Amino acid sequence: MCCHDDHEALPWLAACLLTPHLPPVISLAVSLSQLRSRAWKAVKPVMARRLFSQTPGRNSLIQVFQESGVRSITLADTRTRNSLSLQMLRELQEAVGEEDPSLRCIILQAQGKVFSGGHNLKELTGREGKSHHQTVFNECTHLMLTLQRLPVPVVAKVNGVAAAAGCQLVSSCDIAIASQGSSFSTPGANVGIFCSTPGIPLVRCVPRKVSAHMLLTGLPITAEEALQAGLVSKVVPEEELDCEVQKVVDTILHKSRSVIALGKKFMYKQMEMGIEDAYREGGNLMVHNINMIDGQEGINSFIRKCSPSWTHSDN
């Protein structure tokens, strides 16, 4: 195991400590009181966030944990292949949209071997009616645009199938790290519903011939094909996925939050601009960035050959 094995083990230990029958192996580690303390510290933030994002009268479909500026959001509705139901969309929106000045990065991941199978088709039958259907797609659009407009990077950690709106979710994240066994598809036409909205971020990520092949045939592409097309940022063996994502997150954490926010905003804005306008606005933004507190701190630290001390200020 690599990276944060202790953090991954703590929720399991907590579950053991909250039950009357403790595995014998626990007594070999540290004292019971120490384990209770460590386990509760690890689980308490998760429990608090679950209550915050939980729809009244329903069990939450996601798990949220935040530590050291990193918010991990896990799709946890394996019963429906982590479908982007209306409840799931609203819980995700609430989780990603919760403001926190200490937040530096968001990780989107999923339980099971399906990252997300897309919209829940049971919510799209004629019985629900057009008004409900419109609400579902409005909420989905709101979520996808929010991911792009957040001031912090959003990293998709994909280990399995990302289909239809699930593929849309991956496409809408800033960075996507996938395991070698993952696959990506937009197969809506197979059931009579063309993946029109999933195709919006898809065609902005991959070449036209690739997006047309995915949208018109519904055939999946492998993780390696997704990498070659630009849909994902990197592909690694499943056993290395956690470490690779952690490496990306650690790199982000070593940068100025305000500089990353400024850069991410312009990165998406200039994609829709003509090249002359982009250069004009980009040059002005560079001048502003250089004269920010963290801009000057970075330059002076480079000259002094020392590590910068970021203020994360917008000034």
Side-chain angles (χ1 to χ4, degrees):
M1 297 293 289
C2 56
C3 294
H4 298 282
D5 293 342
D6 289 343
H7 290 173
E8 294 174 357
L10 286 174
W12 175 81
L13 291 173
C16 294
L17 293 170
L18 295 174
T19 58
H21 303 293
L22 299 177
V25 69
I26 290 181
S27 62
L28 299 178
V30 290
S31 70
L32 182 61
S33 61
Q34 289 175 314
L35 279 174
R36 287 188 189 277
S37 176
R38 291 179 65 202
W40 176 247
K41 287 179 181 178
V43 174
K44 188 176 181 180
V46 182
M47 295 174 65
R49 292 304 178 99
R50 283 179 179 172
L51 290 173
F52 178 81
S53 62
Q54 186 171 341
T55 302
R58 295 184 180 181
N59 293 325
S60 179
L61 302 180
I62 64 174
Q63 296 174 358
V64 185
F65 174 73
Q66 184 168 325
E67 182 181 24
S68 302
V70 181
R71 184 178 300 165
S72 296
I73 303 173
T74 305
L75 281 63
D77 189 20
T78 55
R79 179 180 56 85
T80 69
R81 294 166 56 90
N82 293 317
S83 69
L84 297 184
S85 62
L86 184 57
Q87 181 186 346
M88 175 73 85
L89 290 168
R90 285 174 171 168
E91 289 189 11
L92 286 173
Q93 177 65 43
E94 189 174 12
V96 301
E98 183 182 352
E99 295 184 4
D100 183 346
S102 70
L103 182 64
R104 305 291 305 285
C105 183
I106 292 176
I107 300 173
L108 280 182
Q109 57 191 358
Q111 291 182 354
K113 288 298 183 180
V114 177
F115 179 80
S116 175
H119 290 294
N120 189 333
L121 295 183
K122 292 182 179 179
E123 293 186 341
L124 303 179
T125 66
R127 182 179 57 188
E128 281 73 25
K130 287 186 178 180
S131 177
H132 180 80
H133 301 161
Q134 191 66 59
T135 298
V136 170
F137 287 100
N138 287 347
E139 290 287 346
C140 187
T141 296
H142 184 33
L143 173 63
M144 302 303 167
L145 290 177
T146 297
L147 295 177
Q148 181 174 314
R149 293 168 180 168
L150 287 171
V152 300
V154 181
V155 181
K157 176 181 174 183
V158 186
N159 185 29
V161 175
C167 185
Q168 178 183 5
L169 184 58
V170 175
S171 304
S172 299
C173 293
D174 304 309
I175 299 171
I177 312 296
S179 65
Q180 290 175 337
S182 298
S183 65
F184 305 84
S185 63
T186 49
N190 295 345
V191 293
I193 307 172
F194 195 83
C195 283
S196 297
T197 48
I200 293 170
L202 179 66
V203 301
R204 287 163 169 77
C205 289
V206 306
R208 187 180 69 181
K209 297 298 185 184
V210 176
S211 60
H213 182 268
M214 293 179 67
L215 289 164
L216 298 174
T217 70
L219 293 173
I221 61 174
T222 65
E224 289 294 343
E225 290 171 330
L227 176 63
Q228 293 172 13
L231 179 56
V232 300
S233 311
K234 193 162 186 178
V235 175
V236 296
E238 182 177 348
E239 61 272 17
E240 297 177 16
L241 185 58
D242 289 342
C243 288
E244 186 61 38
V245 170
Q246 189 62 51
K247 183 169 70 173
V248 170
V249 170
D250 288 342
T251 303
I252 292 170
L253 293 179
H254 280 87
K255 294 172 174 55
S256 165
R257 185 185 194 272
S258 57
V259 171
I260 290 294
L262 173 149
K264 175 178 172 177
K265 182 178 181 180
F266 182 69
M267 179 181 73
Y268 285 109
K269 182 179 181 180
Q270 63 94 7
M271 290 179 184
E272 308 299 327
M273 300 171 67
I275 190 166
E276 291 186 3
D277 290 338
Y279 268 117
R280 185 181 304 109
E281 189 162 335
N284 293 336
L285 190 63
M286 289 290 291
V287 172
H288 169 71
N289 189 171
I290 288 169
N291 287 277
M292 289 169 57
I293 295 174
D294 281 354
Q296 285 299 301
E297 172 64 18
I299 292 172
N300 292 329
S301 296
F302 179 81
I303 294 172
R304 296 193 307 265
K305 295 182 173 58
C306 63
S307 298
S309 179
W310 306 122
T311 65
H312 306 294
S313 168
D314 293 329
N315 298 321

